[in-house]
Amino acid sequence: MRRWLLAALLLLLPLTARAQEEEPLVAALSRNEIEVTTGFTGASLVVFGSTAAPIGPGGDEVLVVARGPTRAVVVRRKVPVAGVVWVNGPSARFAQVPGYYVIAGTRPAWQILPEEQRLAHALGLDSLPLTSTGARSPGFRAALLDLEKQSGLWLEHTEPVEIAGSRLFHVRLPLPAAVPTGDYRVEVYLVRSRRIVARQELAFRVDRMGAADRIATVAQAQPLLYGLACIAFAAFAGWLGSVLFRRG
């Protein structure tokens, strides 16, 4: 990691000079594509860059937010029947829910930006525009936040943006094994005196490769065949296990 970071900082030296002359903020990603294979256990992505003015106490602040492809999510409340059986009760359907959301900063967003700006740019889990249809209780939104945080796909300020030499910064974004495939957007904000003064948008993609891609394609295009194959494989594995245990 240290060798990689040193190489990245050396590459940023000409960018820093250009930033001081032209741009207040220059940022880049360590990679633009994440490959998901059958043995994928997670990965990480480094966001690094430079600023024209010093970062840190009394100076500028940096916020980094990454968002994954959106999808609809239904949150249901379980209700007891006769005190012994639990069944699905009221539900809320949330549209355009990010499949991945990570935010990091030199300080937490709520400390360096007023609420109206955080809401306008959806900076922070409490600022996400999670609108729903169906049940209207705020408990459904809280349950959605808890579920996504437990999955490791929504993270808020778990790792700070690190500063080197007062004008260089970097942060590592974790990508767990359950990360969804698709196009991702990374936004880097430069904050000065509680105002966003510069913003840069970057992009990367998560793709299935090899056997993982073929399995996912079959599961989506021919779900019946995929289900039968899974049952057959499970039955074969059970039979093989019984044979081996009998011999043992």
Side-chain angles (χ1 to χ4, degrees), residues 223-239:
L224 178 59
L225 177 61
Y226 176 76
L228 292 174
C230 289
I231 294 172
F233 179 78
F236 173 75
W239 171 80

Side-chain angles (χ1 to χ4, degrees), residues 42-115:
S44 61
L45 182 77
V46 177
V47 184
F48 58 94
S50 65
T51 61
I55 315 168
D60 291 350
E61 308 274 4
V62 173
L63 282 174
V64 177
V65 58
R67 312 169 202 260
T70 60
R71 83 284 194 210
V73 176
V74 177
V75 178
R76 293 183 174 88
R77 176 182 295 162
K78 296 286 187 179
V79 295
V81 175
V84 292
V85 180
W86 291 81
V87 299
N88 290 331
S91 64
R93 186 179 189 275
F94 294 85
Q96 301 296 310
V97 177
Y100 178 84
Y101 182 93
V102 174
I103 182 169
T106 47
R107 285 192 295 158
W110 61 269
Q111 292 184 3
I112 62 178
L113 279 175
E115 184 178 3

